[in-house]
Amino acid sequence: MNKQRKFRELEEVLVAQATSDGDGVQLKRVFGGADLARFDPFLMLDEFGSDKAADYIGGFPPHPHRGFETVTYMLEGQMEHRDHMGNIGRLGPGDVQWMKAGAGVIHSEMPKQEEGLMHGFQLWVNLPAAEKMTPASYNDIDANSIPSYELNGVAIKSIAGELKVDGTKVSGAVTGLSTDPAYLDMSFDSDREVVVDVPDGYTTLVYVYKGSAVIGDSDYQLTKGKIARLSREGELLISASGATRLLLITGKPIGEPIVQRGPFVMNTMDEIHQAIRDYSEGTLV
Ligand code: MN
């Protein structure tokens, strides 16, 4: 008897929802907010994209974070980050900022353009309890230092992690984190398929932001603006339907309680109250 290949399957599909955050920035919340355990170790994914300045010009004035990491990936436009540590970072097309809020950061994220297209993503990655109160850090990753791969009509930018794609080891700019996140931007030039090896047990998310793709041996078209959360075992087969761009995000679940209030993500409500007190008393950072 032939042994059938086992592919990861769709567990859930969510449609990115229009919302606003910061100072009136219009964006799409892909996931985030409630019942986060099933996305563990990920907390949120936002897509911001507009060619109308009014949708982004307010930016994100100074605000705090504690307990997790924020990853900003720009496709188009210019943003400037400033934080309490004195870092100033300019993010342009293809650049990534990987910031560990840890015990506390206060930063701003403001547009550095008054017109034109602004497009990108922000992903929140949780930290295990043992790392939540570690010092904040900040890593600007220039577009040129993000490894890129070209595999049979599929262009890959590997922001983080190490995964095998069609048997080729794809290594990202950021590795060695305890949640072992992989974050790939995959661009398919036409009907193409790839098989990705993702470790058993890992959370696996596919977000299509251009075109359409099918996962595994289902026939469901995951179209632009939809994210799929997949089953935790088997190979990942992605079949693009025409020119398609998508984010593949995988990571090792932490398995601890998640309590979130706004910009603070901790394990208990007591720790949330402490974060709110620390921020109001000026001792968060
Ligand atoms: Mn922020």
Side-chain angles (χ1 to χ4, degrees):
M1 208 170 81
N2 285 332
K3 197 180 172 201
Q4 260 200 313
R5 291 175 82 179
K6 183 179 154 113
F7 293 116
R8 274 171 152 79
E9 298 165 3
L10 298 174
E11 290 270 318
E12 175 179 21
V13 173
L14 296 175
V15 179
Q17 300 290 315
T19 184
S20 88
D21 208 338
D23 186 4
V25 177
Q26 303 301 307
L27 50 79
K28 286 195 283 188
R29 180 133 307 150
V30 180
F31 73 91
D35 295 328
L36 291 167
R38 65 202 201 278
F39 294 99
D40 186 2
F42 304 106
L43 299 164
M44 190 190 83
L45 178 65
D46 281 349
E47 178 178 8
F48 48 93
S50 178
D51 57 5
K52 292 196 286 276
D55 288 346
Y56 58 74
I57 205 74
F60 299 84
H63 59 277
H65 294 290
R66 172 179 279 179
F68 61 102
E69 304 183 89
T70 68
V71 184
T72 307
Y73 173 40
M74 292 294 287
L75 294 176
E76 297 289 344
Q78 302 283 336
M79 290 263 276
E80 187 179 77
H81 156 102
R82 289 172 182 260
D83 65 38
H84 75 278
M85 298 173 276
N87 296 304
I88 300 176
R90 193 72 171 280
L91 282 172
D95 294 342
V96 170
Q97 179 200 77
W98 199 291
M99 185 183 78
K100 184 177 82 165
V105 75
I106 296 174
H107 75 153
S108 62
E109 302 156 287
M110 300 299 288
K112 290 304 279 183
Q113 62 186 38
E114 287 170 2
E115 56 180 20
L117 182 61
M118 173 82 77
H119 190 194
F121 303 93
Q122 189 168 87
L123 175 70
W124 288 11
V125 186
N126 206 2
L127 288 168
E131 296 173 38
K132 282 186 183 291
M133 295 302 282
T134 54
S137 66
Y138 162 85
N139 186 6
D140 254 339
I141 307 163
D142 188 76
N144 296 324
S145 51
I146 294 173
S148 60
Y149 297 81
E150 186 73 45
L151 305 170
N152 298 322
V154 185
I156 300 172
K157 290 181 187 167
S158 183
I159 296 166
E162 282 194 349
L163 293 175
K164 261 192 189 159
V165 181
D166 283 346
T168 298
K169 189 165 133 187
V170 169
S171 297
V174 174
T175 56
L177 302 181
S178 55
T179 53
D180 193 26
Y183 188 176
L184 272 51
D185 180 6
M186 307 180 83
S187 182
F188 299 75
D189 67 355
S190 63
D191 291 8
R192 305 272 186 186
E193 58 178 54
V194 292
V195 173
V196 187
D197 293 338
V198 181
D200 282 353
Y202 277 35
T203 296
T204 303
L205 307 172
V206 176
Y207 179 58
V208 174
Y209 67 95
K210 181 189 166 194
S212 182
V214 166
I215 305 298
D217 41 24
S218 87
D219 54 9
Y220 180 85
Q221 287 289 344
L222 192 69
T223 50
K224 176 183 165 175
K226 289 180 182 166
I227 189 168
R229 187 176 59 79
L230 308 182
S231 55
R232 291 177 187 274
E233 285 179 15
E235 294 176 287
L236 169 58
L237 171 64
I238 304 175
S239 310
S241 311
T244 295
R245 292 192 70 173
L246 57 83
L247 304 179
L248 169 61
I249 299 168
T250 71
K252 184 180 176 182
I254 296 169
E256 295 173 354
I258 303 164
V259 183
Q260 175 176 10
R261 285 296 180 278
F264 307 125
V265 184
M266 304 301 290
N267 300 110
T268 68
M269 194 48 87
D270 276 356
E271 292 166 343
I272 292 288
H273 290 145
Q274 185 66 49
I276 294 168
R277 259 196 317 275
D278 288 349
Y279 183 50
S280 68
E281 290 168 6
T283 56
L284 185 88
V285 298

